[in-house]
Amino acid sequence: MTKDTDQKIGHGKVCAKCGEWKLLEEYHNRAESKDGKRNDCKECVTRRVHQHRIDSPERVRAADKKSKTKHADKKRLRDKKYREENIEKLRENQRRWKKANPEKVKASGARYREKHTDELKIKGTEYRKRPEVVDAQREWQRADRIANPEKYKENSRRQREKNREKINARNLAAMKEKYASDPEYRDRKRADSKVRGKVWRSENADKTRVHVLIRRGRKRNADGSHTADDIRRINYEQDYKCVYCKTPTHDGYHVDHKTPLARGGSNWPDNLQVLCAHCNVSKWSRTHEEYIEYREKLTPANDNEKSGL
């Protein structure tokens, strides 16, 4: 049919807004009107609504908010149905947006974590307590420990250094409790400790010597400390010879304090020297300078052949 034919049989009408004749399908429904249609066409209605949004944005926002509140349940159901029907499409859109906006994603995550810190801590604790998560974590740690032993050794060392006092106190309390509850264990550990201590001291003479000197210094509240490497360095700098008589010190030596601990000397390496047993015993509690004077005063007849001064 032509436009004139449609107009004659009543398939359309003139729009009250734009004055154009249009088919009834181009009008919105209105039950109270005679023909069941609005007087202005859909195009004019859309144009008017668009212009109203431009002219009165505040009123439009308030009306939209009121409508959303009034029809919240309907909108929620409609949105849920749409998500269920288009879940893959929405996921793909989300992945694409995250890939294109990494900084926004990072900032959004930071804001969320800051706002829900306590809630996330509770959820994380509950999640880590799940049996399947605990088993998976233990399996991962076991495999990682086998693959990276040095990393775990270093971590353990740092933790011991950081919490040395706490660890020592805990171990001491546990040992006291064990000793008190099991006398046989105490006797067995003491006997084993004596044997192992004797073997360790025989295999680590340098370290044993250092431990003795440090212990003596602590008893006298002396300042400083040193290591076995410091003693080896001092012996090397002395060309492996006694400072006073030049006896070789390859096979055995004593570590002496230039200024004795009893005279206020320190345990720092610069106050140490390597001597043979004879010179260390004869030096006794003299300082380095005093012992040199003492040796110079000895008569040649009574001087020991070891003297190289």
Side-chain angles (χ1 to χ4, degrees):
M1 298 183 188
T2 63
K3 183 177 178 180
D4 295 336
T5 305
D6 288 336
Q7 189 171 5
K8 287 179 181 178
I9 61 177
H11 287 177
K13 64 178 181 178
V14 177
C15 176
K17 189 69 177 177
C18 63
E20 296 183 7
W21 185 92
K22 296 183 179 181
L23 294 172
L24 295 179
E25 289 80 1
E26 299 183 35
Y27 292 84
H28 290 290
N29 295 331
R30 174 173 285 177
E32 58 270 20
S33 63
K34 294 180 179 180
D35 55 2
K37 298 291 183 179
R38 294 182 57 136
N39 292 329
D40 43 355
C41 62
K42 293 180 180 179
E43 185 178 352
C44 293
V45 171
T46 302
R47 192 182 301 114
R48 185 173 67 254
V49 171
H50 181 68
Q51 188 62 39
H52 175 67
R53 287 184 173 276
I54 295 174
D55 295 340
S56 306
E58 295 297 333
R59 291 181 60 186
V60 170
R61 276 195 289 270
D64 289 346
K65 184 176 181 180
K66 183 177 179 180
S67 177
K68 287 180 181 179
T69 305
K70 183 178 179 181
H71 305 288
D73 295 337
K74 291 182 179 180
K75 185 178 185 304
R76 193 178 298 112
L77 293 174
R78 186 170 64 249
D79 292 345
K80 182 179 180 181
K81 183 179 179 181
Y82 178 82
R83 286 194 298 271
E84 291 175 352
E85 294 176 350
N86 301 273
I87 185 169
E88 292 300 329
K89 178 182 177 181
L90 293 174
R91 285 178 178 174
E92 182 60 30
N93 292 342
Q94 190 177 44
R95 283 193 291 268
R96 193 184 305 115
W97 186 88
K98 286 183 177 180
K99 187 176 181 180
N101 301 274
E103 295 299 328
K104 290 184 179 180
V105 173
K106 188 182 297 184
S108 177
R111 287 195 302 270
Y112 181 84
R113 288 190 296 272
E114 184 178 357
K115 185 177 180 181
H116 302 84
T117 302
D118 297 336
E119 182 182 347
L120 290 174
K121 284 183 179 179
I122 294 173
K123 286 184 177 180
T125 303
E126 293 176 352
Y127 175 79
R128 287 190 293 273
K129 288 181 179 179
R130 294 180 182 177
E132 62 273 14
V133 176
V134 173
D135 294 340
Q137 182 70 11
R138 286 176 179 172
E139 186 64 30
W140 178 87
Q141 286 183 343
R142 191 178 298 111
D144 191 56
R145 189 181 293 275
I146 295 173
N148 303 283
E150 295 301 327
K151 181 182 76 171
Y152 281 88
K153 286 182 181 179
E154 181 64 21
N155 291 342
S156 299
R157 187 193 65 78
R158 283 201 303 269
Q159 288 297 322
R160 288 194 300 271
E161 290 294 332
K162 184 179 179 181
N163 304 284
R164 182 176 295 277
E165 295 182 2
K166 186 185 297 185
I167 293 173
N168 289 343
R170 184 183 62 198
N171 292 343
L172 180 61
M175 189 60 67
K176 285 182 178 179
E177 183 179 355
K178 183 69 175 177
Y179 280 5
S181 62
D182 190 354
E184 295 182 359
Y185 174 81
R186 177 186 58 195
D187 298 337
R188 191 166 59 252
K189 288 294 291 185
R190 284 179 177 175
D192 184 53
S193 178
K194 287 182 180 179
V195 174
R196 287 189 293 105
K198 187 175 181 179
V199 173
W200 187 90
R201 285 191 294 273
S202 64
E203 294 176 351
N204 299 272
D206 293 343
K207 293 182 179 180
T208 302
R209 189 179 290 110
V210 169
H211 291 169
V212 172
L213 293 175
I214 291 176
R215 184 172 181 272
R216 286 175 51 199
R218 287 176 178 171
K219 291 175 67 174
R220 294 183 176 273
N221 296 322
D223 185 33
S225 65
H226 57 276
T227 64
D229 290 336
D230 293 326
I231 302 301
R232 285 191 285 269
R233 177 181 55 78
I234 293 171
N235 203 7
Y236 171 77
E237 291 175 352
Q238 294 180 195
D239 198 20
Y240 298 98
K241 293 181 180 179
C242 174
V243 171
Y244 301 118
C245 66
K246 307 305 178 185
T247 299
T249 58
H250 291 285
D251 298 331
Y253 58 85
H254 288 195
V255 179
D256 174 64
H257 292 86
K258 297 177 183 178
T259 302
L261 296 177
R263 304 275 297 273
S266 72
N267 246 334
W268 291 116
D270 57 4
N271 190 43
L272 302 179
Q273 58 186 354
V274 173
L275 305 180
C276 67
H278 172 80
C279 289
N280 187 46
V281 172
S282 63
K283 180 176 179 288
W284 195 240
S285 61
R286 300 180 181 90
T287 65
H288 174 68
E289 293 78 11
E290 291 172 350
Y291 186 62
I292 292 176
E293 292 178 3
Y294 167 78
R295 290 178 64 88
E296 289 176 349
K297 290 178 182 179
L298 292 176
T299 59
N302 296 328
D303 196 8
N304 194 294
E305 292 182 357
K306 290 184 178 182
S307 177
L309 299 178

